[in-house]
Amino acid sequence: AEAGVAVKDLCRKLGVSDQTFFNWKARYGGLSVSELKRLRELEAEKARLEKMDAGLALENEGVKAVLNRKV
């Protein structure tokens, strides 16, 4: 879009809505390529850690349930 392509044409080509385009633009608009790569790496790591945290919390609840039954 910064190169002069109409937003409607660009969205049609990418298969996204205008609102999605403007959300992406607001989120990633001023980032350089290296910053965008780092952001994607951090988001992937955050997702991995959140998944691991959820698994550990579930395991913790299971252990507490077993311990409470024995008492």
Side-chain angles (χ1 to χ4, degrees):
E2 292 175 1
V5 178
V7 173
K8 291 273 187 194
D9 295 336
L10 186 60
C11 290
R12 190 176 310 115
K13 181 179 177 184
L14 295 174
V16 298
S17 70
D18 292 350
Q19 187 61 44
T20 299
F21 173 81
F22 289 112
N23 285 338
W24 287 348
K25 185 178 178 183
R27 186 170 183 186
Y28 303 115
L31 298 178
S32 68
V33 174
S34 62
E35 291 171 329
L36 186 57
K37 285 181 182 179
R38 180 67 180 145
L39 179 62
R40 286 185 181 170
E41 289 172 1
L42 290 173
E43 287 175 344
E45 182 179 0
K46 180 183 175 207
R48 183 185 62 82
L49 291 172
E50 286 176 346
K51 184 177 178 182
M52 188 172 67
D53 181 46
L56 290 173
L58 185 61
E59 184 179 331
N60 188 16
E61 287 296 318
V63 169
K64 284 181 181 180
V66 169
L67 290 175
N68 286 336
R69 275 190 261 155
K70 289 185 177 181
V71 172

Coordinates of all heavy atoms in Angstrom, one line a residue:
A1 N 0.8 -1.2 0.0 CA 0.0 0.0 0.0 C 0.9 1.3 0.0 O 0.5 2.3 -0.6 CB -0.9 0.0 1.2
E2 N 2.0 1.2 0.7 CA 2.9 2.3 0.7 C 3.5 2.6 -0.7 O 4.0 3.7 -1.0 CB 4.0 2.1 1.7 CG 3.5 2.1 3.1 CD 4.6 1.8 4.1 OE1 5.7 1.6 3.7 OE2 4.3 1.7 5.3
A3 N 3.5 1.6 -1.6 CA 4.1 1.8 -2.9 C 3.1 2.4 -3.9 O 3.4 2.6 -5.0 CB 4.6 0.4 -3.4
G4 N 1.9 2.6 -3.4 CA 0.9 3.3 -4.3 C -0.2 2.4 -4.7 O -1.1 2.8 -5.5
V5 N -0.2 1.1 -4.3 CA -1.3 0.2 -4.7 C -2.6 0.5 -3.9 O -2.5 0.8 -2.7 CB -0.9 -1.3 -4.5 CG1 -2.0 -2.2 -4.8 CG2 0.3 -1.6 -5.3
A6 N -3.7 0.5 -4.5 CA -5.0 0.8 -3.8 C -5.2 -0.2 -2.7 O -5.0 -1.4 -3.0 CB -6.1 0.9 -4.8
V7 N -5.7 0.2 -1.6 CA -5.9 -0.7 -0.5 C -7.0 -1.8 -0.9 O -6.8 -2.9 -0.5 CB -6.4 0.1 0.8 CG1 -6.8 -0.9 1.9 CG2 -5.3 1.0 1.3
K8 N -8.0 -1.4 -1.6 CA -9.0 -2.4 -2.0 C -8.4 -3.5 -2.9 O -8.7 -4.6 -2.7 CB -10.1 -1.7 -2.8 CG -11.0 -0.7 -2.0 CD -12.1 -1.5 -1.4 CE -13.1 -0.6 -0.7 NZ -14.0 -1.2 0.1
D9 N -7.6 -3.1 -3.8 CA -6.9 -4.0 -4.7 C -6.0 -5.0 -3.9 O -5.9 -6.2 -4.1 CB -6.1 -3.3 -5.8 CG -7.1 -2.6 -6.7 OD1 -8.3 -2.9 -6.8 OD2 -6.6 -1.6 -7.4
L10 N -5.2 -4.4 -3.0 CA -4.3 -5.1 -2.2 C -5.0 -6.1 -1.3 O -4.6 -7.3 -1.2 CB -3.4 -4.2 -1.3 CG -2.3 -4.8 -0.5 CD1 -1.3 -5.5 -1.4 CD2 -1.6 -3.7 0.3
C11 N -6.1 -5.7 -0.7 CA -6.9 -6.6 0.2 C -7.5 -7.7 -0.6 O -7.5 -8.9 -0.2 CB -8.0 -5.8 0.9 SG -7.3 -4.7 2.2
R12 N -8.0 -7.4 -1.8 CA -8.6 -8.4 -2.7 C -7.5 -9.5 -3.1 O -7.7 -10.7 -3.0 CB -9.2 -7.8 -3.9 CG -10.0 -8.8 -4.8 CD -10.7 -8.1 -6.0 NE -11.4 -6.9 -5.6 CZ -11.1 -5.7 -6.1 NH1 -10.0 -5.5 -6.9 NH2 -11.8 -4.6 -5.7
K13 N -6.3 -9.0 -3.4 CA -5.2 -9.9 -3.8 C -4.8 -10.8 -2.6 O -4.5 -12.0 -2.8 CB -4.0 -9.1 -4.2 CG -2.8 -9.9 -4.7 CD -1.7 -9.0 -5.1 CE -0.5 -9.9 -5.5 NZ 0.6 -9.1 -5.9
L14 N -4.8 -10.2 -1.4 CA -4.4 -11.0 -0.2 C -5.5 -11.8 0.4 O -5.2 -12.7 1.2 CB -3.8 -10.0 0.9 CG -2.5 -9.3 0.5 CD1 -2.2 -8.3 1.6 CD2 -1.4 -10.2 0.3
G15 N -6.7 -11.5 0.0 CA -7.9 -12.2 0.5 C -8.2 -11.9 1.9 O -8.7 -12.7 2.7
V16 N -8.0 -10.6 2.3 CA -8.4 -10.1 3.6 C -9.3 -8.9 3.5 O -9.4 -8.3 2.4 CB -7.1 -9.7 4.4 CG1 -6.2 -10.9 4.7 CG2 -6.4 -8.6 3.8
S17 N -10.0 -8.6 4.6 CA -10.9 -7.5 4.6 C -10.1 -6.2 4.8 O -8.9 -6.2 5.2 CB -11.9 -7.6 5.7 OG -11.3 -7.5 7.0
D18 N -10.7 -5.1 4.5 CA -10.1 -3.8 4.7 C -9.8 -3.6 6.2 O -8.8 -3.0 6.5 CB -11.0 -2.6 4.2 CG -11.2 -2.6 2.7 OD1 -10.5 -3.3 2.0 OD2 -12.1 -1.9 2.2
Q19 N -10.7 -4.0 7.0 CA -10.5 -3.8 8.5 C -9.3 -4.6 8.9 O -8.5 -4.1 9.7 CB -11.7 -4.3 9.2 CG -11.7 -4.0 10.7 CD -11.6 -2.5 11.0 OE1 -12.2 -1.7 10.4 NE2 -10.7 -2.1 11.9
T20 N -9.1 -5.8 8.4 CA -7.9 -6.6 8.8 C -6.6 -5.9 8.3 O -5.6 -5.8 9.1 CB -7.9 -8.0 8.1 OG1 -9.1 -8.7 8.6 CG2 -6.7 -8.8 8.4
F21 N -6.7 -5.3 7.1 CA -5.5 -4.6 6.6 C -5.2 -3.4 7.5 O -4.0 -3.2 7.9 CB -5.8 -4.0 5.2 CG -4.7 -3.1 4.7 CD1 -3.5 -3.6 4.2 CD2 -4.9 -1.7 4.8 CE1 -2.5 -2.8 3.7 CE2 -3.9 -0.9 4.3 CZ -2.7 -1.4 3.8
F22 N -6.2 -2.6 7.9 CA -5.9 -1.5 8.8 C -5.5 -1.9 10.2 O -4.7 -1.2 10.8 CB -7.1 -0.5 8.8 CG -7.2 0.2 7.5 CD1 -8.3 -0.1 6.7 CD2 -6.3 1.1 7.1 CE1 -8.4 0.6 5.4 CE2 -6.4 1.7 5.8 CZ -7.5 1.5 5.0
N23 N -6.0 -3.0 10.7 CA -5.5 -3.6 12.0 C -4.0 -3.9 11.9 O -3.3 -3.6 12.8 CB -6.3 -4.8 12.4 CG -7.7 -4.4 12.9 OD1 -7.9 -3.2 13.3 ND2 -8.6 -5.3 12.9
W24 N -3.7 -4.6 10.8 CA -2.3 -5.0 10.6 C -1.4 -3.8 10.5 O -0.3 -3.7 11.0 CB -2.1 -5.8 9.4 CG -2.6 -7.2 9.5 CD1 -3.0 -7.9 10.6 CD2 -2.8 -8.2 8.4 NE1 -3.4 -9.2 10.3 CE2 -3.3 -9.4 9.0 CE3 -2.6 -8.1 7.0 CZ2 -3.6 -10.5 8.2 CZ3 -2.9 -9.2 6.3 CH2 -3.4 -10.4 6.9
K25 N -1.9 -2.8 9.8 CA -1.1 -1.5 9.5 C -0.9 -0.8 10.9 O 0.2 -0.3 11.2 CB -1.8 -0.6 8.6 CG -1.1 0.6 8.2 CD -1.8 1.5 7.2 CE -1.0 2.7 6.9 NZ -1.7 3.6 6.0
A26 N -1.9 -0.8 11.7 CA -1.8 -0.1 13.0 C -0.8 -0.9 13.9 O 0.0 -0.3 14.7 CB -3.2 -0.1 13.7
R27 N -0.8 -2.2 13.8 CA 0.0 -3.0 14.7 C 1.5 -3.1 14.2 O 2.4 -3.0 15.0 CB -0.5 -4.4 14.7 CG 0.2 -5.3 15.7 CD -0.6 -6.6 15.9 NE 0.1 -7.4 16.9 CZ -0.2 -8.6 17.2 NH1 -1.2 -9.2 16.6 NH2 0.5 -9.3 18.1
Y28 N 1.7 -3.3 12.9 CA 3.0 -3.5 12.3 C 3.5 -2.3 11.5 O 4.6 -2.5 10.9 CB 3.0 -4.8 11.5 CG 2.5 -6.0 12.2 CD1 1.4 -6.6 11.9 CD2 3.3 -6.5 13.3 CE1 0.9 -7.8 12.5 CE2 2.8 -7.6 14.0 CZ 1.7 -8.3 13.6 OH 1.2 -9.4 14.2
G29 N 2.8 -1.2 11.4 CA 3.1 -0.2 10.5 C 4.5 0.4 10.5 O 5.2 0.5 9.5
G30 N 5.1 0.7 11.6 CA 6.4 1.3 11.7 C 7.5 0.4 12.0 O 8.6 0.9 12.2
L31 N 7.4 -0.9 11.8 CA 8.4 -1.8 12.2 C 9.3 -2.1 10.9 O 8.8 -2.2 9.8 CB 7.8 -3.1 12.7 CG 7.0 -3.1 13.9 CD1 6.5 -4.5 14.3 CD2 7.9 -2.6 15.1
S32 N 10.6 -2.3 11.2 CA 11.5 -2.7 10.1 C 11.4 -4.3 10.0 O 10.8 -4.9 10.9 CB 12.9 -2.3 10.5 OG 13.4 -3.0 11.6
V33 N 12.1 -4.8 9.1 CA 12.0 -6.3 8.8 C 12.6 -7.0 10.0 O 12.0 -8.0 10.5 CB 12.7 -6.6 7.5 CG1 12.8 -8.1 7.4 CG2 12.0 -6.0 6.3
S34 N 13.7 -6.5 10.6 CA 14.4 -7.2 11.7 C 13.5 -7.1 12.9 O 13.4 -8.1 13.7 CB 15.8 -6.6 12.0 OG 15.7 -5.3 12.3
E35 N 12.9 -6.0 13.1 CA 12.0 -5.8 14.3 C 10.7 -6.8 14.2 O 10.3 -7.4 15.1 CB 11.5 -4.4 14.4 CG 12.6 -3.4 14.8 CD 12.1 -2.0 14.7 OE1 11.3 -1.6 13.9 OE2 12.7 -1.2 15.5
L36 N 10.2 -6.9 13.0 CA 9.1 -7.8 12.7 C 9.5 -9.2 13.0 O 8.7 -10.0 13.6 CB 8.6 -7.6 11.3 CG 7.3 -8.3 10.9 CD1 6.2 -7.9 11.9 CD2 6.9 -8.0 9.5
K37 N 10.7 -9.6 12.5 CA 11.1 -11.0 12.8 C 11.2 -11.3 14.3 O 10.8 -12.3 14.8 CB 12.5 -11.3 12.1 CG 12.4 -11.5 10.6 CD 13.7 -11.7 10.0 CE 13.7 -11.9 8.5 NZ 15.0 -12.1 7.9
R38 N 11.8 -10.3 15.0 CA 12.0 -10.5 16.4 C 10.6 -10.5 17.1 O 10.4 -11.3 18.0 CB 12.8 -9.3 17.0 CG 13.0 -9.3 18.4 CD 13.9 -10.5 18.8 NE 14.1 -10.5 20.3 CZ 14.3 -11.5 21.0 NH1 14.3 -12.7 20.5 NH2 14.4 -11.4 22.3
L39 N 9.7 -9.7 16.7 CA 8.3 -9.7 17.2 C 7.7 -11.1 17.0 O 7.1 -11.6 18.0 CB 7.5 -8.6 16.6 CG 6.0 -8.5 17.1 CD1 6.0 -8.2 18.6 CD2 5.3 -7.4 16.3
R40 N 7.8 -11.6 15.9 CA 7.2 -13.0 15.6 C 7.9 -14.0 16.4 O 7.2 -14.9 16.9 CB 7.4 -13.3 14.1 CG 6.4 -12.5 13.2 CD 6.5 -13.0 11.8 NE 5.6 -12.2 11.0 CZ 5.6 -12.2 9.7 NH1 6.4 -13.0 9.0 NH2 4.7 -11.5 9.0
E41 N 9.2 -14.0 16.6 CA 9.9 -14.9 17.5 C 9.4 -14.8 18.9 O 9.1 -15.8 19.6 CB 11.4 -14.7 17.5 CG 12.1 -15.0 16.2 CD 13.5 -14.6 16.1 OE1 14.0 -14.0 17.1 OE2 14.2 -14.8 15.1
L42 N 9.2 -13.6 19.4 CA 8.7 -13.4 20.8 C 7.3 -13.9 20.9 O 7.0 -14.5 22.0 CB 8.9 -11.9 21.2 CG 10.3 -11.4 21.4 CD1 10.3 -9.9 21.5 CD2 11.0 -12.1 22.5
E43 N 6.5 -13.6 19.9 CA 5.1 -14.1 20.0 C 5.0 -15.6 20.0 O 4.2 -16.2 20.7 CB 4.3 -13.5 18.9 CG 4.0 -12.0 19.0 CD 3.2 -11.4 17.8 OE1 3.2 -12.1 16.7 OE2 2.7 -10.3 18.0
A44 N 5.9 -16.3 19.2 CA 5.9 -17.7 19.2 C 6.4 -18.3 20.5 O 5.9 -19.3 21.1 CB 6.8 -18.2 18.1
E45 N 7.4 -17.6 21.1 CA 7.9 -18.1 22.4 C 6.9 -17.9 23.5 O 6.7 -18.7 24.4 CB 9.2 -17.3 22.8 CG 9.8 -17.7 24.1 CD 11.1 -17.0 24.4 OE1 11.5 -16.1 23.6 OE2 11.7 -17.3 25.5
K46 N 6.2 -16.8 23.4 CA 5.1 -16.5 24.4 C 4.0 -17.5 24.3 O 3.5 -18.1 25.4 CB 4.5 -15.1 24.2 CG 3.4 -14.8 25.1 CD 2.8 -13.4 24.8 CE 1.6 -13.2 25.8 NZ 0.6 -12.3 25.2
A47 N 3.6 -17.9 23.1 CA 2.6 -18.9 22.9 C 3.1 -20.3 23.5 O 2.3 -21.0 24.1 CB 2.2 -19.1 21.5
R48 N 4.3 -20.6 23.2 CA 4.9 -21.9 23.8 C 4.9 -21.9 25.3 O 4.5 -22.9 25.9 CB 6.3 -22.1 23.2 CG 7.0 -23.4 23.6 CD 8.4 -23.4 23.2 NE 9.3 -22.4 23.7 CZ 9.8 -22.5 24.9 NH1 9.6 -23.5 25.7 NH2 10.6 -21.5 25.4
L49 N 5.3 -20.8 25.9 CA 5.4 -20.7 27.3 C 4.0 -20.7 28.0 O 3.8 -21.3 29.0 CB 6.1 -19.4 27.8 CG 7.6 -19.4 27.5 CD1 8.2 -18.0 27.8 CD2 8.3 -20.5 28.3
E50 N 3.0 -20.1 27.3 CA 1.6 -20.1 27.8 C 1.1 -21.5 27.8 O 0.4 -22.0 28.7 CB 0.7 -19.2 27.0 CG 1.0 -17.7 27.4 CD 0.2 -16.7 26.5 OE1 -0.4 -17.1 25.5 OE2 0.1 -15.5 26.9
K51 N 1.4 -22.2 26.7 CA 0.9 -23.6 26.6 C 1.6 -24.5 27.6 O 0.9 -25.3 28.3 CB 1.3 -24.2 25.2 CG 0.8 -25.5 24.9 CD 1.1 -25.9 23.5 CE 0.7 -27.4 23.2 NZ 1.0 -27.8 21.8
M52 N 2.9 -24.3 27.9 CA 3.6 -25.0 28.9 C 3.0 -24.7 30.3 O 2.8 -25.6 31.1 CB 5.1 -24.7 28.9 CG 5.9 -25.5 29.8 SD 7.7 -25.3 29.5 CE 7.9 -23.6 30.1
D53 N 2.7 -23.4 30.5 CA 2.1 -23.0 31.8 C 0.7 -23.7 32.0 O 0.4 -24.1 33.1 CB 2.0 -21.5 31.8 CG 1.4 -21.0 33.2 OD1 1.8 -21.4 34.2 OD2 0.5 -20.1 33.1
A54 N -0.1 -23.7 31.0 CA -1.4 -24.4 31.1 C -1.2 -25.8 31.4 O -2.0 -26.4 32.3 CB -2.2 -24.2 29.8
G55 N -0.3 -26.5 30.8 CA 0.0 -27.9 31.1 C 0.4 -28.1 32.5 O 0.0 -29.1 33.2
L56 N 1.3 -27.3 33.0 CA 1.8 -27.4 34.3 C 0.7 -27.2 35.4 O 0.6 -27.8 36.4 CB 3.0 -26.5 34.6 CG 4.3 -26.9 33.9 CD1 5.3 -25.8 34.0 CD2 4.8 -28.3 34.4
A57 N -0.2 -26.2 35.1 CA -1.3 -25.9 36.0 C -2.2 -27.1 36.1 O -2.7 -27.4 37.1 CB -2.0 -24.6 35.5
L58 N -2.5 -27.7 34.9 CA -3.4 -28.8 34.9 C -2.8 -30.0 35.7 O -3.4 -30.7 36.4 CB -3.6 -29.2 33.4 CG -4.6 -30.4 33.2 CD1 -6.0 -30.0 33.7 CD2 -4.7 -30.7 31.7
E59 N -1.5 -30.2 35.5 CA -0.8 -31.3 36.2 C -0.8 -31.0 37.7 O -1.0 -31.9 38.5 CB 0.7 -31.4 35.7 CG 1.5 -32.5 36.3 CD 2.9 -32.5 35.8 OE1 3.1 -32.1 34.6 OE2 3.8 -33.0 36.5
N60 N -0.6 -29.8 38.1 CA -0.6 -29.4 39.5 C -2.0 -29.6 40.1 O -2.1 -30.2 41.2 CB -0.3 -27.9 39.6 CG -0.1 -27.4 41.0 OD1 0.1 -28.3 41.9 ND2 -0.1 -26.1 41.2
E61 N -3.1 -29.3 39.4 CA -4.4 -29.6 39.9 C -4.6 -31.1 40.0 O -5.2 -31.5 41.0 CB -5.5 -29.0 38.9 CG -5.6 -27.5 39.0 CD -6.1 -27.0 40.3 OE1 -7.0 -27.6 40.9 OE2 -5.5 -26.0 40.8
G62 N -4.1 -31.9 39.1 CA -4.2 -33.4 39.2 C -3.5 -33.9 40.4 O -4.0 -34.8 41.2
V63 N -2.3 -33.4 40.7 CA -1.6 -33.8 41.9 C -2.3 -33.4 43.2 O -2.4 -34.2 44.1 CB -0.1 -33.2 41.8 CG1 0.6 -33.4 43.2 CG2 0.7 -33.8 40.7
K64 N -2.8 -32.2 43.2 CA -3.6 -31.8 44.4 C -4.8 -32.7 44.6 O -5.1 -33.0 45.7 CB -4.0 -30.3 44.2 CG -2.9 -29.3 44.4 CD -3.4 -27.9 44.3 CE -2.3 -26.9 44.5 NZ -2.8 -25.5 44.3
A65 N -5.5 -33.0 43.5 CA -6.7 -33.9 43.6 C -6.3 -35.3 44.2 O -7.0 -35.8 45.1 CB -7.4 -34.0 42.3
V66 N -5.2 -35.8 43.8 CA -4.7 -37.1 44.2 C -4.4 -37.0 45.7 O -4.7 -37.9 46.5 CB -3.6 -37.7 43.4 CG1 -2.9 -38.9 44.0 CG2 -4.1 -38.0 42.0
L67 N -3.6 -36.0 46.1 CA -3.2 -35.8 47.5 C -4.4 -35.6 48.4 O -4.4 -36.1 49.5 CB -2.2 -34.7 47.6 CG -0.9 -34.9 47.0 CD1 0.0 -33.6 47.1 CD2 -0.1 -36.1 47.6
N68 N -5.4 -34.9 48.0 CA -6.6 -34.7 48.8 C -7.4 -36.0 49.0 O -8.1 -36.1 50.0 CB -7.5 -33.6 48.2 CG -6.9 -32.2 48.4 OD1 -6.1 -32.0 49.3 ND2 -7.2 -31.3 47.5
R69 N -7.4 -36.9 48.0 CA -8.2 -38.1 48.2 C -7.5 -39.0 49.2 O -8.2 -39.8 49.9 CB -8.2 -38.8 46.8 CG -9.4 -38.3 46.0 CD -9.6 -39.2 44.8 NE -9.0 -38.6 43.7 CZ -8.5 -39.2 42.6 NH1 -8.6 -40.5 42.5 NH2 -7.9 -38.5 41.6
K70 N -6.2 -39.0 49.3 CA -5.5 -39.9 50.2 C -5.6 -39.5 51.6 O -5.5 -40.3 52.5 CB -4.0 -40.0 49.9 CG -3.7 -40.7 48.6 CD -2.3 -40.9 48.3 CE -2.0 -41.7 47.1 NZ -0.6 -41.9 46.9
V71 N -5.9 -38.2 51.9 CA -6.0 -37.7 53.3 C -7.3 -38.0 53.9 O -8.3 -38.3 53.6 CB -5.7 -36.2 53.3 CG1 -6.0 -35.6 54.6 CG2 -4.3 -36.0 52.9

